[in-house]
């Protein structure tokens, strides 16, 4: 049926023309297009609809029960801002997600704001509603300063999160890190001060400060300026001798030599105790003692007995501890015992306690007052179990047996340990092996260097630091790597480790690497890189002396002739050493002075 437009007219009052008469109707009866949409529907679709009660799942009522049309635009307003994923429901149509047209992701918390009119359009192909962008841009919260608002494709009044660092002391802020850098290719050193990444420096900041209590004139060489501080300290240079021998510039020399003990060709260890120099025969049965002033005297043989021990000889482990006027060491004579010994007016005061560990073990270096014996040979197979016994230094009573669990299988007796002043335990596994197996047909080589930190009670590691490793295979180990096991030690909160390529490393108590330096070439197979704590809190590795983070401060190797078995640093000017000449071993007093070498 066709639709016609009809114009109704009547004669006007003066009968000289026609007036138009318009019919009275409603919006529901007025069609606006050929599809049958009425004017009332048009008004409902274009009105601003309100949801006064719901949150997130918003519901709007046009009063006309409209049918959604593809690409139709709707104006909406809500009483409650969104706190989660948003859906829109209009009349009896299904609830549909409200999405971002740029990302096709559903809008969430804070994207629909209270009493803020927003427009959406219906897409029947998804189906969903898309938010009509009232703004545009690609900035996100991490691009804008904290507290500042901005707009992007997601909406308006978004808040930035970049932190603003304002002055907290005068017109400065503290640095979070500092370093000296000289790798920009211009040959110059630069002091760099860092702040937290992504921080915006406020307009009132003129300086970044770094607390340096040691940056004072007396700590700087006279005439040298560092960061504006001019030094007033001594004008020593690299290689200058820092001792009373400065005027004579004397290098280390042998000044006195003892008489040898009979027919000793074993490698020796030497260390100081009270007023004695002690010498241990490696893998032998005796400890030889020499009073320091009596350099011309012969060795005195000491052979401490083992409680309940049996056999024709005993053997003292060369890794020992001197503390509180006593010497602590482990000894074997049919069974193992921890002993402490003191020599007083010619008398020997000794006590001992049986060690509960099996396999290879030794005394661990420690910063606290206790004595620790670590089992170098693990038990368990994936995980590996390392056991440490803790002893009272006065009574030798066993206080605790501490079990440390290490992931993986490491069967070789290569574990070393040290303990800091708070009782935290540090264990290192530093080993290198190579050779032939299966009747010398198959070559193998492997190495590993890993450190772990444990709580004082043991358990699982809380920090792990791996320097490197190589599984057992036919590929040779790195060039220069020596067979055997590395060592660990601790001195004033600095952890030291010597590895199998003659490198000494230092770590803080978080196992962060703080220093690296080359050490003397190893002499012995399994205990060559022993790390010794000197009486003046330095670190000795063979004939070199270190302090702090692997800073080399002295070299006391002396040209005493023949084979040098060992050297013991005493103080800034004195040391003692063992030299072998043919089948005899001599104690030598070494006169030396520490030198600035770096």
């Amino acid at each position: 049926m066709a639709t016609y437009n009809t114009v109704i007219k009547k004669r006007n009052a003066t009968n000289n023309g026609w007036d138009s008469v318009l019919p009275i109707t409603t919006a529901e009866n007025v069609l606006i297009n050929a599809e049958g949409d009425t004017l009332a529907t048009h008004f409902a679709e274009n009105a601003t609809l309100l949801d006064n009660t719901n949150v997130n799942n918003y519901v709007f009522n046009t009063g006309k029960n409209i049918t959604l049309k593809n690409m139709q635009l709707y104006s909406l307003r809500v009483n409650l801002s969104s706190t989660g994923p948003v859906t829109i429901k209009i009349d009896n149509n299904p609830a549909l997600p409200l999405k971002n047209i740029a990302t096709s992701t559903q809008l969430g918390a804070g994207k629909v704001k209270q009493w803020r009119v927003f427009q959406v359009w219906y897409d029947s192909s998804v189906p969903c509603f898309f938010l009509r962008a009232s703004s545009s841009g690609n900035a996100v919260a991490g691009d804008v300063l904290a507290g500042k608002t901005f707009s992007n494709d997601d909406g308006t009044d978004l808040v930035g999160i970049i932190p603003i660092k304002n002055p907290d002391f005068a017109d400065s802020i503290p640095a979070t890190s500092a370093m000296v850098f000289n790798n920009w290719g211009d040959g110059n050193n630069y002091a760099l001060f860092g702040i937290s990444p992504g921080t915006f420096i406020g307009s009132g900041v003129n300086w970044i400060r770094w607390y340096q209590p040691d940056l004072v004139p007396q700590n700087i060489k006279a005439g040298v300026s560092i960061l504006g501080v001019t030094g007033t300290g001594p004008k020593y240079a690299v290689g200058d001798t820092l001792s009373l021998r400065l005027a004579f510039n004397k290098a280390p020399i042998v000044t006195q030599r003892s008489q040898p003990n009979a027919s000793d060709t074993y490698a020796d260890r030497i260390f100081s105790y009270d007023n004695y120099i002690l010498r241990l025969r490696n893998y032998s049965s005796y400890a030889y003692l020499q009073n320091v002033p009596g350099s011309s005297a012969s060795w005195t043989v000491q052979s401490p007995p083992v409680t309940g021990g049996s056999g024709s000889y005993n053997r003292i482990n060369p890794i020992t501890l001197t503390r509180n006027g006593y010497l602590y060491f482990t000894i074997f004579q049919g069974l193992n015992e921890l002993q402490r010994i003191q020599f007083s007016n010619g008398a020997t005061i000794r006590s001992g306690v049986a060690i509960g560990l099996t396999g290879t073990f030794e005394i661990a270096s420690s910063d606290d007052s206790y004595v620790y014996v670590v089992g170098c040979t693990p038990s368990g197979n994936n995980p590996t179990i390392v056991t440490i016994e803790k002893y009272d230094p006065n009574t030798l009573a066993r206080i605790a047996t501490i079990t440390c669990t290490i992931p993986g299988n490491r069967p070789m007796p290569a574990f070393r340990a040290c303990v800091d002043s708070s009782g935290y335990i540090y264990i290192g596994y530093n080993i290198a092996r190579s050779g032939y197996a299966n009747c010398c047909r198959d070559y193998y080589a492997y190495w590993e260097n890993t450190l772990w930190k444990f709580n004082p009670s043991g358990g699982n590691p809380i920090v792990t630091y791996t320097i490197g490793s190589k599984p057992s295979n036919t590929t040779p180990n790195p060039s220069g790597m020596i067979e055997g096991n590395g060592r660990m030690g601790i001195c004033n909160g600095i952890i030291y480790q010597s590895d199998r390529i003659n490198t000494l490393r230092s770590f803080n108590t978080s196992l962060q690497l703080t220093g690296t330096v080359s050490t003397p070439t190893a002499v012995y197979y399994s205990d060559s890189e022993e790390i010794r704590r000197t009486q003046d809190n330095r670190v000795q590795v063979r004939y070199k002396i270190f302090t702090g983070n692997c800073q080399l401060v002295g070299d006391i190797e002396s040209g005493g002739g023949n084979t040098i078995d060992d050297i013991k640093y005493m103080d800034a000017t004195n040391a003692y050493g063992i030299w072998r000449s043919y089948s005899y071993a001599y104690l030598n007093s070494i006169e030396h002075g520490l030198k600035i070498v770096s």
Side-chain angles (χ1 to χ4, degrees):
M1 180 178 66
T3 300
Y4 298 95
N5 294 320
T6 302
V7 179
I8 303 175
K9 294 181 179 291
K10 76 171 183 174
R11 191 71 175 172
N12 60 22
T14 59
N15 197 28
N16 61 359
W18 297 91
D19 293 327
S20 294
V21 180
L22 301 179
I24 298 175
T25 186
T26 62
E28 288 86 348
N29 296 324
V30 179
L31 302 178
I32 61 172
N33 55 36
E35 286 75 24
D37 292 331
T38 67
L39 186 60
T41 302
H42 175 74
F43 288 155
E45 290 175 338
N46 288 276
T48 298
L49 305 178
L50 172 65
D51 184 336
N52 203 36
T53 59
N54 297 300
V55 62
N56 299 333
N57 299 315
Y58 298 110
V59 178
F60 302 93
N61 186 4
T62 66
K64 299 300 179 182
N65 193 22
I66 65 173
T67 299
L68 298 178
K69 295 182 179 63
N70 190 41
M71 306 302 291
Q72 177 66 46
L73 191 66
Y74 301 93
S75 296
L76 309 174
R77 186 172 63 179
V78 299
N79 184 39
L80 299 173
S81 298
S82 62
T83 60
V86 176
T87 63
I88 301 294
K89 177 177 173 58
I90 299 177
D91 291 335
N92 290 329
N93 298 286
L96 299 174
L98 177 59
K99 295 187 176 183
N100 184 308
I101 185 62
T103 62
S104 292
T105 57
Q106 188 172 7
L107 272 61
K111 299 302 183 180
V112 174
K113 295 180 172 57
Q114 182 184 41
W115 297 116
R116 186 74 57 83
V117 175
F118 62 100
Q119 291 184 308
V120 302
W121 54 273
Y122 171 65
D123 187 335
S124 61
S125 65
V126 178
C128 72
F129 290 102
F130 283 111
L131 178 70
R132 180 185 181 186
S134 58
S135 60
S136 63
N138 60 3
V140 295
D143 299 327
V144 181
L145 293 179
K148 303 297 183 180
T149 59
F150 67 102
S151 302
N152 61 18
D153 292 345
D154 286 340
T156 61
D157 292 334
L158 305 176
V159 181
I161 61 172
I162 296 178
I164 302 174
K165 193 70 173 178
N166 293 311
D168 62 348
F169 182 77
D171 59 345
S172 69
I173 59 174
T176 57
S177 61
M179 64 179 293
V180 175
F181 189 80
N182 60 359
N183 199 28
W184 274 323
D186 60 359
N188 297 320
N189 288 333
Y190 295 90
L192 305 182
F193 302 93
I195 61 174
S196 298
T199 300
F200 179 83
I201 299 177
S203 60
V205 176
N206 294 320
W207 301 94
I208 298 176
R209 66 181 186 274
W210 181 254
Y211 179 60
Q212 285 295 296
D214 294 330
L215 188 61
V216 292
Q218 58 268 32
N219 289 342
I220 302 174
K221 182 178 178 180
V224 175
S225 178
I226 299 178
L227 294 178
V229 180
T230 301
T232 60
K235 294 184 177 181
Y236 297 131
V238 172
D240 292 345
T241 302
L242 303 182
S243 72
L244 294 176
R245 294 165 177 79
L246 180 62
F248 304 100
N249 194 27
K250 183 177 290 186
I253 60 171
V254 172
T255 59
Q256 295 175 326
R257 171 170 291 185
S258 73
Q259 296 298 316
N261 60 288
S263 300
D264 182 8
T265 59
Y266 287 94
D268 294 303
R269 274 287 187 252
I270 184 172
F271 51 91
S272 61
Y273 161 72
D274 200 11
N275 289 323
Y276 293 87
I277 293 295
L278 281 74
R279 168 174 164 257
L280 300 180
R281 286 181 59 185
N282 197 18
Y283 303 115
S284 188
S285 56
Y286 303 112
Y288 296 92
L289 304 181
Q290 175 113 47
N291 193 287
V292 172
S295 59
S296 60
S298 298
W299 293 102
T300 299
V301 177
Q302 297 284 331
S303 183
V306 174
T307 305
S310 62
S312 59
Y313 68 92
N314 51 29
R315 185 168 65 222
I316 298 175
N317 190 304
I319 307 300
T320 61
L321 173 68
T322 57
R323 181 178 290 166
N324 302 325
Y326 288 89
L327 168 69
Y328 298 85
F329 58 92
T330 59
I331 188 170
F332 173 81
Q333 188 181 21
L335 54 84
N336 295 299
E337 192 172 59
L338 170 66
Q339 292 193 6
R340 75 170 187 168
I341 196 169
Q342 183 184 56
F343 306 105
S344 177
N345 297 324
T348 302
I349 303 173
R350 185 194 67 84
S351 60
V353 63
I355 298 173
L357 302 174
T358 59
T360 303
F361 53 84
E362 64 183 36
I363 292 179
S365 175
S366 63
D367 263 352
D368 65 7
S369 60
Y370 297 100
V371 179
Y372 297 86
V373 178
V374 57
C376 304
T377 304
S379 61
N381 185 0
N382 197 9
T384 297
I385 306 299
V386 177
T387 304
I388 298 175
E389 293 188 339
K390 180 179 180 180
Y391 294 89
D392 184 287
N394 299 314
T395 65
L396 291 189
R398 186 181 295 109
I399 298 174
T401 298
I402 304 168
T403 300
C404 298
T405 303
I406 298 174
N409 180 24
R410 296 172 177 84
M412 297 299 293
F415 291 91
R416 300 297 185 266
C418 62
V419 182
D420 67 18
S421 60
S422 299
Y424 285 90
I425 299 168
Y426 306 83
I427 295 179
Y429 187 77
N430 185 359
I431 186 171
R433 290 288 188 276
S434 63
Y436 289 88
N438 299 326
C439 298
C440 298
R441 292 192 304 270
D442 300 326
Y443 177 80
Y444 71 93
Y446 69 94
W447 71 278
E448 180 181 357
N449 193 349
T450 305
L451 292 86
W452 301 270
K453 178 180 179 179
F454 296 84
N455 285 312
S457 58
N460 295 316
I462 56 178
V463 180
T464 301
Y465 187 97
T466 300
I467 296 172
S469 65
K470 184 185 81 65
S472 180
N473 53 37
T474 58
T475 303
N477 289 332
S479 176
M481 182 168 284
I482 302 168
E483 298 286 303
N485 311 323
R487 293 289 179 182
M488 288 188 71
I490 191 169
C491 183
N492 291 336
I494 300 176
I495 298 156
Y496 296 91
Q497 187 227 36
S498 55
D499 70 6
R500 304 308 300 165
I501 52 176
N502 300 313
T503 300
L504 179 69
R505 294 181 175 89
S506 62
F507 301 84
N508 59 24
T509 54
S510 297
L511 284 189
Q512 295 171 319
L513 183 67
T514 58
T516 304
V517 69
S518 297
T519 53
T521 302
V523 175
Y524 305 109
Y525 177 82
S526 62
D527 59 354
S528 55
E529 288 90 12
E530 180 184 351
I531 299 172
R532 303 180 179 184
R533 182 171 182 164
T534 66
Q535 293 178 350
D536 57 357
N537 289 323
R538 299 174 188 266
V539 171
Q540 178 183 353
V541 180
R542 205 175 173 218
Y543 53 81
K544 290 187 181 293
I545 310 300
F546 303 91
T547 188
N549 295 319
C550 295
Q551 297 169 338
L552 179 64
V553 295
D555 187 332
I556 54 177
E557 183 176 21
S558 176
N562 306 307
T563 302
I564 303 174
D565 281 339
D566 201 14
I567 293 177
K568 172 60 184 177
Y569 167 88
M570 297 294 291
D571 55 37
T573 58
N574 297 295
Y576 290 85
I578 291 292
W579 276 265
R580 279 187 293 111
S581 177
Y582 301 104
S583 61
Y584 299 105
Y586 295 88
L587 170 69
N588 294 278
S589 173
I590 307 168
E591 187 178 9
H592 75 95
L594 287 179
K595 294 184 177 183
I596 296 179
V597 293
S598 64

